Amino acid sequence: MGFEQAWLSYGVLRKESKWRGIERICADPASPVMKNAVGELQKALGTMTGKEPVLCSGADKEAAGTRCIRFRQDGEGKADGYHVYEESGDVVIAASSDCGMLYGAFELIRQAQIGNSPVGLDIAKDPVMPLRMLNHWDNMDGSIERGYSGNSFFFDHDEILVDDRTVTYARLLASVGINGAVINNVNVKDAATWLITDRYFDKLRQLSEIFAGYGIRLFLSLNYAAPVELGELDSADPLSEEVGKWWKDRMKLVFEQVPHLGGFLIKADSEGRPGPFTYGRTHADGANMLAEAVEPYGGLIIWRCFVYNCKQDWRDYKTDRARSGYDNFIELDGAFRDNVILQIKNGPMDFQVREPVHPLFGGLKDTNQMLEVQIAQEYTGQQRHVCYLIPMFQEVLGFRTYVTETDDTVKDLVSGKTFGHTKCGMAAVANTGNDENWTGHDLAAANLYGFGRLAFDPSALAEEIAREWVVRTFGEDEEVCEVLLFILMNSWRAYEMYNAPLGIGWMVNPNYHYGPSVDGYEYDRWGTYHRADHLGIGVDRSHHGTGYAGLYREPNASMYDSPESCPDELLLFFHHMPYDHKLQSGKTVIQHIYDTHFEGVELVDEMVKRFESLEGKIPDKAYRRMLDRFRHQKEHAREWRDQINTYFYRKSGMDDEKGRQIF
Ligand code: GCU
């Protein structure tokens, strides 16, 4: 089995499989996307059946009397949607766009891989979110910010790489419906600032053409201060005419040279990156200036809301990092041009194992919005621990904001249903690198796969997605499937159990964010505190404290504001509570901390035990690679358990009811 192809490594179908009878593909592929649709089907069915279907012209379909796959233009269909169905023994892919045809082709491949028959096939799907994007934090020297699977396959030594892996990457993305990719880090420095100059146009064009052939638009992260840093102007003031003109000229050149480009992602006035604040201007001023420059080319400006004071004094109880995204952007609702999208992280802090949903969702009404999640497991085990995140994303998407009476969930907002927006969707910070298996931990690929599937169809269940990914990656063996599903579906819960308790987050080593350090971020400038003392722990974000709970619409605001109604798993995010406070579960805070940390480790032990039963049932190389990581996870979960339990035992002086060993 080739690991380079991830879930597109095709096994041989059973003898009785009805896909074996499909001997022809009737099509006249003219566009690159159609050629890829046909090529993918030929390659997949060829490998799965041992006999590559012959391509013949659409006009010949009556010819040989054998069964075929046909394409049908469907004027009614939604862009990029498809309908695949059986018709008199043939399989038809109907769609209104080439991209829909490609997605239909990948749907057939999926059906074949998971063991479904073409007989009686009838599946119609439209992508629910318009934009389904990956954000790579790849640097041009080849390193990856928060990368846990090797180096970049887009960049090396300040050059852009275009090779076989680029094509496989595009195929993998298209196969799960991802239609956009930002290839460079949001922290745009050094050579990356030059991506919008002729130094890189040729390679960018090649890359964007490969992407376009798979329905993917190439995006770049932009340096807000580019006119200054490229040495051409001495200001980047968004209201200066000269600056506006510079960007218009620049964008004209960029889009002439790289016509498939989709637009730009911008991190401004955040963690030291430049932005409009330098000139006393707003984020709307900055975003709108760029939006005007890319507008003639259909370009989008995706502007991040991850803006906060990263030089806070830990003694300051008034400033609340959780509030900052909301406070910086809410007043600007309605002030952005139509081709600007605000990209909002799922929670108000930074991709912790548990956070409430960002209050800008449900706050903003007149602004295009996109949800940003992180499948790079920065705070969730860095792809050494297994942590299947799709269940978490599903919770976020299902959250009711009450911005309207109905259709008010995050999913409704970012799919455009609530306010009829068409420029919206979901982005994931990518977890890929040049490791052979793409994601370091073989099981981390389930997050890449799952993200695409979820953005295309958020009604798909996390468990179904996981099952499908397992079968497509490791084949149909029932035992393999059951064990890996048990592991994946318990992994987020297990990680949360031995991690920071009850929504408080952080407790990691500064900078590299791995491993337990309860006070690692406690006396620092990043706005990330747990405020534990001998009596209690948690941040008071109620109306007595920072008032953050009040940023939600009712009834969420009241629910979070009171410790009685605040869900247990977020209690310490919203409230400072004594250790003997009784949770809704009936346990005290301190006993909850002890219990979850012991039980989290037991759950990991169970996962590893079951995994070990798979020796010989999955390819040895993958087995060994995973076993190594599982052994580390087992050890490391103990480190988390013991450091956290010990810390709170020493702080509180309270014994564990069950008398287990705490140091
Ligand atoms: C986190 C992460 C950074 C990243 C930042 C962002 O803080 O640790 O590496 O740059 O998020 O999202 O911009």
Side-chain angles (χ1 to χ4, degrees):
M1 185 188 290
F3 299 102
E4 308 81 13
Q5 305 296 316
W7 56 87
L8 296 182
S9 41
Y10 306 120
V12 176
L13 291 173
R14 282 187 294 242
K15 270 212 181 69
E16 63 278 14
S17 168
K18 297 280 188 241
W19 294 98
R20 290 184 176 277
I22 297 179
E23 294 183 3
R24 291 176 304 140
I25 297 175
C26 297
D28 304 283
S31 69
V33 177
M34 281 306 290
K35 284 187 183 136
N36 283 333
V38 169
E40 290 296 332
L41 282 169
Q42 283 185 298
K43 180 161 29 195
L45 291 177
T47 317
M48 287 192 260
T49 66
K51 193 170 168 201
E52 190 164 297
V54 180
L55 177 62
C56 56
S57 165
D60 296 346
K61 63 181 181 293
E62 310 305 333
T66 49
R67 289 161 56 213
C68 70
I69 295 175
R70 292 185 267 128
F71 292 84
R72 179 171 290 159
Q73 199 64 36
D74 171 13
E76 309 278 275
K78 253 175 102 176
D80 299 357
Y82 57 84
H83 184 190
V84 291
Y85 54 97
E86 189 215 314
E87 189 176 77
S88 326
D90 289 349
V91 176
V92 179
I93 303 177
S96 65
S97 69
D98 286 358
C99 194
M101 301 289 190
L102 177 69
Y103 291 156
F106 275 119
E107 178 68 73
L108 297 187
I109 294 169
R110 182 167 77 99
Q111 292 301 319
Q113 276 180 298
I114 62 177
N116 290 343
S117 167
V119 178
L121 183 74
D122 189 4
I123 299 173
K125 276 204 181 135
D126 293 321
V128 171
M129 301 193 198
L131 287 162
R132 307 171 296 278
M133 299 185 63
L134 284 183
N135 290 180
H136 292 267
W137 288 357
D138 292 24
N139 299 315
M140 294 202 61
D141 63 3
S143 64
I144 302 180
E145 179 151 342
R146 315 304 176 188
Y148 312 108
S149 355
N151 280 336
S152 174
F153 49 82
F154 290 122
F155 306 111
D156 190 27
H157 286 88
D158 292 348
E159 292 301 332
I160 297 175
L161 309 174
V162 182
D163 53 28
D164 287 352
R165 203 166 173 95
T166 324
V167 179
T168 310
Y169 168 82
R171 297 177 53 228
L172 287 169
L173 262 56
S175 75
V176 291
I178 295 171
N179 66 355
V182 185
I183 58 168
N184 65 309
N185 191 357
V186 285
N187 295 313
V188 186
K189 298 176 195 165
D190 310 318
T193 304
W194 293 80
L195 280 168
I196 51 168
T197 69
D198 58 9
R199 198 189 278 181
Y200 293 112
F201 288 151
D202 285 346
K203 278 288 169 66
L204 284 176
R205 191 180 324 108
Q206 284 173 35
L207 198 68
S208 72
E209 280 165 6
I210 294 172
F211 281 13
Y214 282 93
I216 301 160
R217 275 196 294 169
L218 171 70
F219 286 74
L220 297 173
S221 291
L222 199 65
N223 184 340
Y224 182 80
V228 180
E229 290 184 29
L230 293 176
E232 299 193 12
L233 299 181
D234 50 20
S235 163
D237 181 351
L239 298 191
S240 138
E241 236 174 73
E242 192 190 21
V243 174
K245 183 171 181 315
W246 186 90
W247 278 110
K248 281 187 186 151
D249 294 345
R250 174 65 40 175
M251 288 304 152
K252 183 165 186 285
L253 184 68
V254 172
F255 280 91
E256 260 165 25
Q257 295 294 320
V258 193
H260 289 299
L261 197 68
F264 298 92
L265 176 66
I266 294 112
K267 170 175 178 175
D269 292 314
S270 167
E271 301 183 328
R273 302 317 303 141
F277 284 172
T278 311
Y279 309 94
R281 312 298 188 199
T282 70
H283 283 267
D285 295 331
N288 288 341
M289 170 198 58
L290 294 171
E292 201 183 334
V294 301
E295 208 258 349
Y297 320 99
L300 294 175
I301 293 297
I302 304 175
W303 191 272
R304 295 176 86 229
C305 293
F306 185 61
V307 178
Y308 69 99
N309 173 7
C310 64
K311 293 189 179 153
Q312 192 180 330
D313 186 329
W314 59 269
R315 301 163 190 84
D316 166 9
Y317 275 63
K318 295 241 152 45
T319 308
D320 182 1
R321 169 165 167 181
R323 289 193 63 115
S324 60
Y326 186 95
D327 289 343
N328 274 300
F329 284 91
I330 198 70
E331 296 290 313
L332 300 175
D333 190 21
F336 294 93
R337 292 178 78 99
D338 182 53
N339 58 334
V340 177
I341 304 173
L342 294 189
Q343 184 165 300
I344 305 162
K345 289 192 182 184
N346 62 275
M349 297 298 275
D350 198 5
F351 303 134
Q352 302 302 293
V353 68
R354 173 76 64 174
E355 286 187 44
V357 165
H358 202 299
L360 276 174
F361 292 116
L364 299 170
K365 287 177 158 181
D366 298 321
T367 305
N368 297 320
Q369 303 161 46
M370 220 157 129
L371 167 66
E372 178 180 318
V373 296
Q374 192 190 44
I375 53 177
Q377 292 169 236
E378 177 176 359
Y379 294 98
T380 49
Q382 303 199 349
Q383 288 151 245
R384 298 176 80 190
H385 295 232
V386 54
C387 193
Y388 178 54
L389 292 162
I390 306 307
M392 182 210 281
F393 302 161
Q394 223 150 30
E395 271 189 32
V396 171
L397 289 168
F399 180 77
R400 287 198 64 183
T401 64
Y402 299 100
V403 63
T404 47
E405 265 171 37
T406 53
D407 300 334
D408 64 333
T409 62
V410 173
K411 176 186 102 181
D412 296 325
L413 283 163
V414 301
S415 59
K417 197 168 177 191
T418 313
F419 297 117
H421 294 147
T422 53
K423 298 182 178 98
C424 47
M426 188 168 172
V429 178
N431 60 354
T432 53
N434 65 2
D435 277 1
E436 185 191 13
N437 66 356
W438 294 87
T439 51
H441 200 311
D442 290 74
L443 295 183
N447 285 326
L448 178 62
Y449 182 84
F451 163 70
R453 297 280 289 127
L454 192 68
F456 200 91
D457 176 12
S459 69
L461 298 176
E463 183 159 356
E464 275 169 30
I465 294 175
R467 178 183 296 278
E468 210 183 272
W469 173 80
V470 170
V471 171
R472 295 183 74 172
T473 307
F474 294 104
E476 276 181 284
D477 184 307
E478 215 14 74
E479 198 188 327
V480 172
C481 196
E482 238 169 72
V483 168
L484 294 182
L485 265 184
F486 173 85
I487 293 171
L488 287 170
M489 292 310 291
N490 280 290
S491 58
W492 175 42
R493 188 164 77 92
Y495 194 81
E496 180 173 20
M497 284 166 97
Y498 58 79
N499 211 265
L502 297 167
I504 192 68
W506 307 96
M507 302 193 173
V508 288
N509 286 297
N511 306 321
Y512 64 102
H513 298 166
Y514 194 67
S517 174
V518 178
D519 283 336
Y521 272 104
E522 193 57 16
Y523 306 103
D524 216 327
R525 62 182 174 91
W526 299 92
T528 48
Y529 315 113
H530 56 64
R531 308 289 193 201
D533 60 19
H534 68 297
L535 298 173
I537 169 175
V539 179
D540 187 355
R541 293 189 164 104
S542 74
H543 67 284
H544 302 295
T546 70
Y548 169 85
L551 304 183
Y552 293 89
R553 292 182 192 271
E554 291 296 1
N556 290 338
S558 302
M559 174 185 66
Y560 288 137
D561 199 60
S562 154
E564 304 314 317
S565 52
C566 181
D568 282 352
E569 70 268 16
L570 287 169
L571 187 65
L572 302 182
F573 186 93
F574 284 99
H575 300 279
H576 185 88
M577 301 307 293
Y579 294 114
D580 60 1
H581 168 82
K582 262 223 170 102
L583 298 170
Q584 292 174 25
S585 69
K587 287 185 187 183
T588 59
V589 167
I590 193 74
Q591 197 55 42
H592 173 94
I593 294 177
Y594 297 150
D595 285 353
T596 48
H597 285 77
F598 283 111
E599 287 160 17
V601 167
E602 283 161 23
L603 189 50
V604 172
D605 288 353
E606 180 62 28
M607 282 160 41
V608 179
K609 197 178 103 203
R610 294 201 193 187
F611 178 76
E612 284 170 341
S613 75
L614 297 185
E615 186 168 10
K617 300 203 170 85
I618 54 180
D620 203 48
K621 198 169 172 190
Y623 177 80
R624 301 265 145 234
R625 203 156 46 196
M626 283 191 260
L627 187 64
D628 254 18
R629 283 177 154 82
F630 274 123
R631 288 196 171 140
H632 168 75
Q633 181 174 358
K634 228 173 129 156
E635 282 295 313
H636 201 235
R638 283 175 167 67
E639 200 60 31
W640 274 97
R641 175 193 69 191
D642 291 340
Q643 286 208 29
I644 289 195
N645 281 346
T646 299
Y647 181 98
F648 287 105
Y649 174 63
R650 292 182 187 175
K651 271 253 143 116
S652 70
M654 290 176 173
D655 288 329
D656 168 31
E657 266 170 12
K658 299 183 184 150
R660 290 162 292 197
Q661 189 175 29
I662 300 178
F663 300 88

